[in-house]
């Protein structure tokens, strides 16, 4: 289900939170007010409240994304998701569409922490559980299936996945498949990616 953290106390890195500003384009003052209402930033100059190296409540950010959904619609959620790869910490640069989509789950865990511990340790390859996953299934040379089990909204995740695959395959088609959707209470959403 979307908008409900899987575990209490999960935090998100400020660098990822900055995607909210990119998703709203020139309307940064809207974002500042919204993040302030959720207790994520203090009031002040637009954009000055988020520290890219600080950690913020995941549930508060999910609450802010719910407000985006209710007030501004799914297109803005998609835009915010599309900005995640431009803001969040990602592992080593992918070399093709397949490695780009595979990198999403590691990046997801690098940008979240539990109990003060980042949820992916690059040195050991250890990934902590508690926030879900971005799946990867190679269906062929030009096809990927990804199942997202996260508390984030469907359209937000769709924006992340579409941006990552289109970095290498600009004409890729990305679509929600199956009847299950977090927007309707399901635990996961599945997206088919194809190109060429």
């Amino acid at each position: 289900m979307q908008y409900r953290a899987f575990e209490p106390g999960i935090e998100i890195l400020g660098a990822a939170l900055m995607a909210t500003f990119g998703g709203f384009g020139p309307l940064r003052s809207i974002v500042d007010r919204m993040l302030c209402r959720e207790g994520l930033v203090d009031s002040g100059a637009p954009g000055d409240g988020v520290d890219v190296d600080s950690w913020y409540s995941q549930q508060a950010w999910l609450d802010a994304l719910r407000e985006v959904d209710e007030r501004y619609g799914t297109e803005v959620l998609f835009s915010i998701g599309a900005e995640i790869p431009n803001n969040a910490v990602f592992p080593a640069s992918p070399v093709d569409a397949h490695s780009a989509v595979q990198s999403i789950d590691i990046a997801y865990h690098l940008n979240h922490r539990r109990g003060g511990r980042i949820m992916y340790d690059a040195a050991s390859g250890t990934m902590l559980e508690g926030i879900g996953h971005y799946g990867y299934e190679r269906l062929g040379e030009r096809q990927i299936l990804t199942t997202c089990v996260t508390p984030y909204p469907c359209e937000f995740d769709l924006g992340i996945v579409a941006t990552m695959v289109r970095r290498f395959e600009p004409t890729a088609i990305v679509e929600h498949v199956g009847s299950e959707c977090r927007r309707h209470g399901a635990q996961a959403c599945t997206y088919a990616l194809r190109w060429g």
Side-chain angles (χ1 to χ4, degrees):
M1 285 218 261
Q2 53 189 20
Y3 301 122
R4 189 177 313 147
F6 293 168
E7 292 186 15
I10 300 291
E11 296 174 302
I12 184 167
L13 185 61
L17 195 66
M18 290 299 290
T20 315
F21 292 98
F24 269 87
L27 306 175
R28 294 176 67 98
S29 61
I30 291 172
V31 178
D32 284 310
R33 288 191 303 272
M34 184 178 55
L35 296 179
C36 187
R37 274 193 301 277
E38 296 303 333
L40 290 163
V41 298
D42 296 326
S43 60
D48 288 345
V50 176
D51 178 355
V52 296
D53 296 318
S54 292
W55 294 90
Y56 299 86
S57 163
Q58 181 192 39
Q59 185 58 60
W61 195 40
L62 288 166
D63 293 341
L65 291 173
R66 180 192 312 264
E67 182 179 337
V68 169
D69 188 0
E70 292 168 355
R71 289 178 176 234
Y72 307 104
T74 57
E75 294 84 8
V76 178
L77 288 175
F78 181 91
S79 294
I80 293 170
E83 285 295 319
I84 287 289
N86 298 328
N87 291 276
V89 175
F90 267 75
S93 297
V95 296
D96 60 17
H98 288 279
S99 59
V101 174
Q102 286 176 306
S103 74
I104 297 171
D105 196 45
I106 292 172
Y108 180 47
H109 285 76
L110 280 171
N111 287 275
H112 288 80
R113 73 178 187 178
R114 181 179 68 201
R117 188 169 165 208
I118 296 173
M119 298 185 78
Y120 181 76
D121 181 351
S124 68
T126 304
M127 190 176 285
L128 299 178
E129 296 299 324
I131 57 173
H133 291 279
Y134 288 82
Y136 166 83
E137 182 181 350
R138 183 185 184 116
L139 297 180
E141 187 63 32
R142 295 183 177 97
Q143 283 188 303
I144 298 171
L145 197 65
T146 181
T147 298
C148 300
V149 182
T150 78
Y152 292 99
C154 172
E155 296 81 7
F156 173 90
D157 281 346
L158 186 61
I160 295 171
V161 171
T163 297
M164 289 304 289
V165 74
R166 288 176 181 155
R167 284 188 171 178
F168 294 92
E169 300 296 338
T171 62
I173 296 168
V174 181
E175 59 187 350
H176 192 292
V177 294
S179 59
E180 300 277 311
C181 182
R182 284 168 290 170
R183 183 163 286 285
H184 305 295
Q187 294 297 315
C189 291
T190 301
Y191 310 107
L193 296 69
R194 64 183 189 280
W195 60 94

